[in-house]
Amino acid sequence: MSVQQRRERERAVRHELIVRTARELAESEGWDAITTRRLSERIEYSQPVLYSHFAGKDAIVAAVAEQGFAELAAARAAAGTAKEAVVAAIHTYLAFAEANPALYDAMFVLGTDLPFAQATTPAPLLAAFGQLHDVLAPLAGDRDSGVFTEVWWSTMHGLVTLARGGRIPAGGQEQRVAILVYQLTGTPP
Amino acid sequence: MSVQQRRERERAVRHELIVRTARELAESEGWDAITTRRLSERIEYSQPVLYSHFAGKDAIVAAVAEQGFAELAAARAAAGTAKEAVVAAIHTYLAFAEANPALYDAMFVLGTDLPFAQATTPAPLLAAFGQLHDVLAPLAGDRDSGVFTEVWWSTMHGLVTLARGGRIPAGGQEQRVAILVYQLTGTPP
DNA sequence: CCATGAATCCTAGCATCGCTAGATATTCGA
DNA sequence: TCGAATATCTAGCGATGCTAGGATTCATGG
């Protein structure tokens, strides 16, 4: 039985190698540059090996995305007052997106058929949304805190994607965050 | 000289045919289903004809996007009070995105190398942003109205893309708009 | 009215893509 | 040490965006 265990261990290592390599490659050259051939070359295996681990390229992207959900959930910022918590959460979110653009795309832009807000939604994703909810809920007033969170998440997501696509100047995010905080808390940051 | 004029006219007609067909095809089957072969078959010309009109597939998408900018700018809503104008603008924007998902993607999601907020930015795009700015500026208070507009545009864009990707339930947009209006104007819609 | 030159368009092909079938090499148990 | 099962690779399929070069059409000058 030990043989099989070793093999499963080796498979798991290679599985992780594929995900890590895909992420590194995407982060350095963008998802468009990720082809199964280049990826297989990087991990020093042939193409079909990828398909013994994943159903297809989309599944690899999804695996990278899931890593991202876990990391985003883990990037919990230190919380002081309610307002400080909101400011910290916003900066954490935007910094995460800026530091890991390809990862962010895998999570929130690509693969529009991920199971979100469903029974099969990945736990780390629920955790990440839950953290944002916890921080924003105190500011919701008499409005539904879940919908309230969705709206402000949309704002942050819009800021990230519009800035990344060059639709709004990439440089002015601080000013926008200031307005965001003002709008949320009623006072400047 | 008349011959050349007729030819230019025919070229313009075919140019418009390509853009219109690409848009229809994208709207009915999604941009992923748009290939140069399928597109050329639809217009009943061979593939290379496309390249005599456009530098490549991206340029065709960009041409479709530019149509969208013009239409969005033309979809100016009737304005009453400042608040009514804001509510109308939000609904106009979201309705536009919902009615023309592929067009919206061409405008704001695909082709991240479009010239936005630059000297070469298409005039209809500036017009569309300017209209949004005119509506939102009265609510900006002491904050920069341009940045203020960018933030709320980001919110709407986030609502559109997250809902389209299934990240937030597609059904609850009305509730989110209500919160959006409340947050902007201080009173429920 | 015809031949010539240019403009126009299409056939055929290239490199690359995601993915897969069948052959080959490797490894383990008896 | 040998046979069987497992693991991996080579080779290839259909489809992609895009392009070169030949064929066809067409206006024009004699």
Side-chain angles (χ1 to χ4, degrees), chain A residues 66-79:
Chain A
E66 202 143 351
Q67 269 198 4
F69 295 135
E71 292 181 22
L72 182 57
R76 164 200 308 271

Side-chain angles (χ1 to χ4, degrees), chain A residues 107 150 155 167 176 183, chain B residues 107 143 150 155 167 176:
Chain A
M107 294 163 69
E150 289 172 355
T155 305
R167 264 72 175 187
R176 298 187 199 108
Q183 202 76 29
Chain B
M107 294 164 68
R143 289 154 291 178
E150 289 171 356
T155 304
R167 264 72 175 183
R176 298 185 199 109

